C-alpha cells in the first residue's frame, strides 16, 4: 500500500507564500505522473497542478502563474510552491498520482487569512 505524507501547510496572510511537500512510499515513484489536489470547505476535491514523468507541469486557470509543481525522484517527493496566496486558496491540500490511484493521505491544511 502506497503511503502519502503531506506537509508544509500553515496559516498565511493574503499575498504570502508556502511550499508544500509530499513524500510517497511508492517504489516506482518515477514512473507515475503526480498531482496536487485540494478540498475547500464544503467543496469537492479538485486537481490544482500536475506533473508528468518528464517533469512537464500543468496548472488550472486559478493556479497558473502563482503555483509551481516540481518533483524529486531520488527523494520520492513532490512539491508545490505557492505564491501570492488568496483567501480562496484555503483548503486541505493532498498529493496523489495523476490520475489518482493511491489511497489518500491526511493532507495538509492551508489557511489564507489576514
Amino acid at each position: 500500500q502506497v503511503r502519502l505524507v503531506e506537509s508544509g501547510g500553515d496559516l498565511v496572510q493574503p499575498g504570502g507564500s508556502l511550499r508544500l511537500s509530499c513524500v510517497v512510499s511508492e517504489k516506482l515513484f518515477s514512473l507515475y505522473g503526480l498531482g496536487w489536489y485540494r478540498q475547500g470547505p464544503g467543496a469537492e476535491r479538485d486537481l490544482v497542478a500536475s506533473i508528468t514523468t518528464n517533469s512537464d507541469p500543468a496548472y488550472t486557470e486559478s493556479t497558473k502563474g502563482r503555483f509551481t509543481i516540481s518533483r524529486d525522484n531520488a527523494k520520492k517527493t513532490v512539491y508545490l510552491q505557492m505564491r501570492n496566496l488568496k483567501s480562496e486558496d484555503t483548503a486541505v491540500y493532498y498529493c496523489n498520482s495523476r490520475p489518482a490511484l493511491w489511497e489518500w493521505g491526511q493532507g495538509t491544511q492551508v489557511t489564507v487569512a489576514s
Side-chain angles (χ1 to χ4, degrees):
Q1 181 175 338
V2 176
R3 186 165 177 239
L4 308 172
V5 181
E6 300 94 345
S7 62
D10 206 344
L11 170 63
V12 62
Q13 292 187 344
S17 299
L18 282 175
R19 189 194 194 206
L20 307 183
S21 301
C22 175
V23 179
V24 182
S25 68
E26 168 60 56
K27 188 183 306 184
L28 302 178
F29 176 87
S30 64
L31 301 183
Y32 287 86
L34 302 166
W36 278 98
Y37 305 76
R38 69 185 179 191
Q39 186 168 20
E44 294 187 352
R45 184 155 36 202
D46 293 322
L47 179 74
V48 299
S50 61
I51 188 166
T52 69
T53 55
N54 292 328
S55 293
D56 294 322
Y59 304 95
T60 64
E61 282 302 312
S62 65
T63 61
K64 194 180 302 181
R66 300 189 300 123
F67 290 12
T68 302
I69 188 171
S70 60
R71 64 189 295 163
D72 185 332
N73 289 339
K75 295 182 178 179
K76 297 183 180 178
T77 301
V78 58
Y79 303 97
L80 187 67
Q81 177 69 53
M82 304 186 294
R83 298 180 176 86
N84 190 22
L85 283 161
K86 305 175 181 180
S87 58
E88 52 262 43
D89 295 318
T90 294
V92 180
Y93 284 71
Y94 303 86
C95 72
N96 209 308
S97 58
R98 170 69 175 150
L101 301 172
W102 303 320
E103 184 173 336
W104 296 95
Q106 83 286 350
T108 187
Q109 176 71 50
V110 172
T111 303
V112 185
S114 55

